[in-house]
Structures are given as structure tokens and as C-alpha cells.
Amino acid sequence: MAGLAMPQPDGAVLARRAEIVSALQAIVPGEGVIADDTGMRPYETDALTAYRQMPLIVVLPETVEQVAAVLRYCYDNGVKVVPRGAGTSLSGGALPVADGVLMSMMKFNRILDIDFPNRAVTVQPGVTNLGITRAVEHEGFYYAPDPSSQIACSIGGNIAENSGGVHSLKYGLTTNNVLGLEMVLVTGEVIRLGGKHLDAEGYDLLAMMTGSEGLLGVVTEVTVRILQKPETARAALVGFSATEDAGRCVADIIAAGIIPGGLEMMDKLALEAAEDFVHAGYPREAEALLIVELDGPEAEVDYLLARVEEIARANNSGYLRVSTSEEERMVFWAGRKAAFPAVGRISPDYLCMDGTIPRRELPRVLAGMRALSEKHGLRVANVFHAGDGNLHPLILYDANLPGELEAAEAFGADILRLCVEVGGVLTGEHGVGIEKRDLMPEMFSEDDLRQQQRVKCAFDERQLLNPGKVFPVLHRCAELGRMHVHKGQMPFPDIPRF
């Protein structure tokens, strides 16, 4: 796996493989355990396909009781577990470990309850993101977070990575739309967090679980909020001859107090690839394209579109086209949502990065990425959630050419360092996984990382859940709790010790 360091496999666990397979087959009978190389091959990677690792065993539970029993067995026997949803993670979050069980949750694929009066839907974690909207759209409702992979990605994976999408600017990420969870701890205990009620007392463990990347527990049930479809929604394509002008336009729209339902940006390379793929009517002459969607009452939408046009003209926009029908609006978005596969048609391989910056820094960061492209000798296509500063640069390379993967990784690391340098963060919605793990010290101090690891230890003291992810150096829990004694003197000696 290139130069990526993962935990060394436990030889004792590898030696007990046949015993572990037999025990898991007793818990999940029939076809619930996959132990042959051919059957396990589809699970060796997720959407970060540059890295691959065959798991020890794959298990596909169908009930909460089976999940609990598998985790309890693994906990008692010191076997690692990597939870997995649909495998669309772009940060290597579901990469298996050689001495661990990969637990696929895709048989948990039922919608359990639709509650229109409370505007809530309860589903199993293997239900797709788009599946929730499909289940409620006949009553004029929808589920707001809409990642580009929404046709395939599972709601359990959305919880793990705190996924967003093109409409997250106005309606929030997964964490803003989840009401409750049922989850199984590594010990096999089943707990519930939140519910259909608006709020809960005590620590906000629900928010902590959202984005925890499978390090704290395995989600077996999710309750989400659904929204009524807006009365009117119209999208505008706004073209610019310079990406810096487009970046300033984004900042000016938000500064004017306008919060679009979606505010996306594509550079020339990305928009041309998308246009060739989808034929959405994008202006090929533009160096950068904004897709601005306004929703709400018709009079409000008309007024805000006029304001956006004024702001765009003030930022040297040379092209503006507003959708005149629902079909045309969907075509505008189809190009954006197909941008990743479209770019895949013009390059043998690409790395999709994910960093978030303050909106005002968009022009500076876009210029910086151009300079980095020249430095590393690789092209980059920019497609991102401009409204909330969530960047998704696609670094184009050919893995068959010696050194290009390493160059792409170095390019990506420099982009993320640039994001942190301007006051941003390493990830907006793809998670840390293995991709950004070793860059965590760029953003967090040693004390910051230790504190985060203490949370991990509170849920998983033996560090069996999804090991090797997120933390660049994983301390043993005993080390994090160890008291430092200097020259025989404990810190704060006047505090009573029990």
C-alpha cells in the first residue's frame, strides 16, 4: 500500500483464523461469512482505490443481535473490526486490516418507519441516501443532505463521515439532519442516542458519533429529519473568465445575506468534462462556473435571483442563464453531480481531495492550487461546495507511470496544508480515514490529539474498532492516562488523590 503505514498484523490472530471463521459462522449462519479470497476481493478497498488490503474475514450480519454477538466475540478474543457501508468512502475509511473482521452493514437495508407528522424517518444503516427521499417524495418531502454519490452511498456511511452535498450550505450536513441513533458498542452493548424529540439532555453524544468514522461503535438504526419540498426552486449558471472573480462572487453573495439552497463552483477543466459527459448546456468559454440555486416562495426567489445577478455582474461575470423549468434545473445539477465520473473519462486515475476554507480565501487558494499544479506537474480539476468553502480538487494522474501516485499524494498534502494555513480544516465531509491521518498534526497539537484519543479510549479501550485510521500515532489508552512524575514530584501535589 505505497508508503502508508498500517498497524502490524497480530500473528496470534492470524494463526487462529480457522477458529474465528468457525465461531462467526455459528453467529451469522448461511452466507453471512465470507472467507475465500475471491469472495473477499470486492471488500479490499473503498473509493480510495489507491490503497488495498484483504481482510481476515468478511461478515454480513442481518440483525442487531448478530452485530452485538460478533462484536462481543471479537472483543473477548482481541480481534479487530472494520465497519463498512456501501464502500463509497473517499478517504480510505473502510480499508480493511489483515488481522481484522470487515463487517458489512449492507443487509441492514430496510426503512422502518415514516412519520410525516413528526417529519422523521427511521431507517437501517444500509439504506441509500437517495432511498430516503424516494420513500417520502410522494408527500412532498425530501432528505436534505445529498452527496454526489447519493444514489449509492449508505446512510450509515453518511453518519460515519458526516457527509454533506450540494444543498448543505442552507440545510446542513448529516449532523444537522440526524435525530437519533441505535448503535452497538465494541463490547456488544446496544445503546440509543437521541430520537424523534427535538433535543436531549446531557452531553451531545449524537453529534460526537456523527463523523466518528467507525471508531466508536457500529450504527444499526438511524432516525433523520425530513423537510418539505420548497414551493419554488430555480438554478442559475453564472460564468466567469477568471476563477478569482468567481471566488469573490461567492464571498459577496454570502456577505449580502443571501443563503442559496446550493452554491457550487467548477473550473474550466471540470465543467468541460461534465459538459462532454452530460450535455447540461454549460458555457465552454468560461474559466469558472457557479451554479446558484435559490428556493422558497416564488416572489422571494425572483428577488434573490435579481440580487445575485447584480453581484455577479459586479464581479465581471460574462454569462448568466436561469432555469425556466424543473427539468432544466435538474439538468444543471446533473452535470455537477456527474463531475467525478466525468473527470474519470479524461484521466486514468484521480485523487479526490477534501478540505474546507473560509470563503474569503477562495481566490487565494485557487491561485495557490494553480501554482502547486505547476510544481508537481499534474493537472487539477476543481469541483466544490463554494458556498461553505468545502473544496474537492481532483488531482489527475496515471498510476501506471512510475512516481505519479506519489506525486499526486504530495500534491494533495500540499493542498490540505494550504487549507490549514489560510484558517481552514483538513476535511469537510469525506473524513480523515487513512488519507489525511498523517496530516492531522498540521492542524492539531499533540494535546489536541491526545484529548481526541481519550474519547476513543472511553468507547474502545482495546482499540479494536477501525484501527489505523484518523490518528497518526495511536497511543495505548494506558499511556494517555499515565500520570507524569517529574523529579519525584507529582503535578499539583496539593490536590487530594483517591
Side-chain angles (χ1 to χ4, degrees):
M1 296 187 299
L4 181 72
M6 290 291 284
Q8 286 296 313
D10 185 331
V13 171
L14 296 177
R16 291 189 287 119
R17 183 175 187 270
E19 170 195 324
I20 297 167
V21 169
S22 178
L24 294 181
Q25 287 174 332
I27 297 171
V28 188
E31 298 180 345
V33 175
I34 303 174
D36 63 289
D37 283 355
T38 301
M40 293 194 299
R41 186 68 63 185
Y43 299 92
E44 67 176 350
T45 187
D46 55 20
L48 187 66
T49 55
Y51 304 111
R52 298 172 186 271
Q53 169 63 61
M54 287 287 280
L56 181 71
I57 306 162
V58 175
V59 61
L60 297 90
E62 297 184 57
T63 67
V64 177
E65 291 74 22
Q66 288 177 349
V67 173
V70 169
L71 288 174
R72 191 177 306 114
Y73 172 83
C74 291
Y75 178 79
D76 290 341
N77 291 273
V79 180
K80 301 173 181 121
V81 180
V82 176
R84 176 186 169 108
T88 60
S89 167
L90 288 159
S91 62
L95 183 73
V97 290
D99 57 345
V101 172
L102 187 136
M103 181 183 286
S104 170
M105 298 299 292
M106 293 310 290
K107 287 191 174 183
F108 280 70
N109 56 10
R110 293 186 298 121
I111 293 176
L112 304 175
D113 177 60
I114 299 176
D115 185 348
F116 288 116
N118 282 311
R119 301 191 177 192
V121 175
T122 300
V123 303
Q124 292 183 319
V127 172
T128 63
N129 176 285
L130 187 60
I132 298 176
T133 291
R134 291 283 185 260
V136 299
E137 62 187 356
H138 65 284
E139 291 289 339
F141 285 83
Y142 72 108
Y143 178 59
D146 56 345
S148 295
S149 58
Q150 66 177 151
I151 192 172
C153 64
S154 68
I155 196 66
N158 291 176
I159 296 289
E161 307 292 4
N162 190 22
S163 302
V166 299
H167 290 95
S168 293
L169 172 62
K170 186 172 184 178
Y171 296 107
L173 299 161
T174 299
T175 190
N176 306 112
N177 290 276
V178 171
L179 299 172
L181 296 176
E182 176 188 79
M183 59 179 284
V184 185
L185 303 180
V186 70
T187 56
E189 300 169 81
V190 181
I191 66 171
R192 284 188 174 273
L193 304 174
K196 292 181 183 179
H197 45 281
L198 187 61
D199 207 348
E201 72 286 346
Y203 293 119
D204 192 358
L205 299 179
L206 181 63
M208 185 173 69
M209 279 302 303
T210 309
S212 60
E213 304 196 33
L215 272 69
L216 305 183
V218 178
V219 173
T220 51
E221 184 182 294
V222 183
T223 299
V224 301
R225 75 173 81 246
I226 52 175
L227 303 177
Q228 278 191 308
K229 189 176 179 180
E231 174 189 317
T232 302
R234 297 174 69 193
L237 300 180
V238 188
F240 297 84
S241 59
T243 54
E244 287 80 6
D245 289 339
R248 278 190 293 272
C249 184
V250 169
D252 289 349
I253 288 172
I254 303 300
I258 301 170
I259 306 297
L263 179 48
E264 300 289 298
M265 182 171 169
M266 304 168 70
D267 68 8
K268 188 175 185 64
L269 184 57
L271 77 87
E272 287 186 340
E275 179 62 17
D276 289 339
F277 189 39
V278 175
H279 309 295
Y282 294 163
R284 291 180 178 274
E285 68 277 9
E287 290 294 324
L289 178 71
L290 296 184
I291 307 177
V292 188
E293 180 168 290
L294 285 307
D295 60 20
E298 186 174 0
E300 178 184 355
V301 170
D302 289 343
Y303 169 76
L304 292 177
L305 279 170
R307 292 280 291 114
V308 167
E309 183 173 0
E310 291 174 9
I311 294 168
R313 299 297 184 203
N315 282 282
N316 306 312
S317 167
Y319 177 93
L320 189 139
R321 175 182 163 198
V322 179
S323 63
T324 56
S325 67
E326 180 65 8
E327 292 73 23
E328 188 175 28
R329 182 181 76 87
M330 296 305 293
V331 169
F332 287 0
W333 283 118
R336 165 60 184 90
K337 285 183 173 287
F340 290 5
V343 169
R345 298 171 76 229
I346 65 173
S347 175
D349 303 281
Y350 67 79
L351 283 181
C352 177
M353 306 306 296
D354 166 52
T356 301
I357 62 172
R359 283 180 291 263
R360 67 178 181 276
E361 299 292 350
L362 272 172
R364 174 182 171 186
V365 171
L366 290 171
M369 280 197 281
R370 277 202 304 274
L372 289 171
S373 177
E374 294 179 8
K375 171 186 172 183
H376 292 281
L378 295 173
R379 294 183 297 166
V380 59
N382 279 294
V383 183
F384 54 90
H385 309 313
D388 47 14
N390 186 194
L391 310 180
H392 292 319
L394 307 177
I395 300 171
L396 281 53
Y397 72 101
D398 186 347
N400 293 315
L401 298 179
E404 284 224 344
L405 171 58
E406 291 75 15
E409 290 177 319
F411 188 178
D414 281 348
I415 290 174
L416 294 175
R417 291 188 184 99
L418 177 60
C419 289
V420 173
E421 179 185 323
V422 302
V425 296
L426 292 172
T427 178
E429 57 172 336
H430 291 178
V432 175
I434 57 168
E435 178 196 43
K436 308 178 188 74
R437 181 195 66 188
D438 295 338
L439 289 170
M440 287 285 275
E442 300 285 340
M443 180 174 172
F444 296 107
S445 70
E446 179 66 18
D447 287 341
D448 294 332
L449 291 171
R450 284 174 174 267
Q451 195 64 23
Q452 292 181 42
Q453 289 175 32
R454 289 185 178 99
V455 174
K456 164 72 169 170
C457 291
F459 281 83
D460 180 20
E461 186 176 8
R462 298 183 186 177
Q463 302 184 51
L464 297 175
L465 282 176
N466 215 7
K469 316 293 173 57
V470 178
F471 300 114
V473 178
L474 191 60
H475 298 88
R476 289 177 296 180
C477 295
E479 293 173 330
L480 292 172
R482 185 177 296 158
M483 182 177 294
H484 179 63
V485 178
H486 179 64
K487 293 184 177 180
Q489 295 293 318
M490 292 190 297
F492 311 108
D494 54 319
I495 296 177
R497 314 275 177 188
F498 298 96

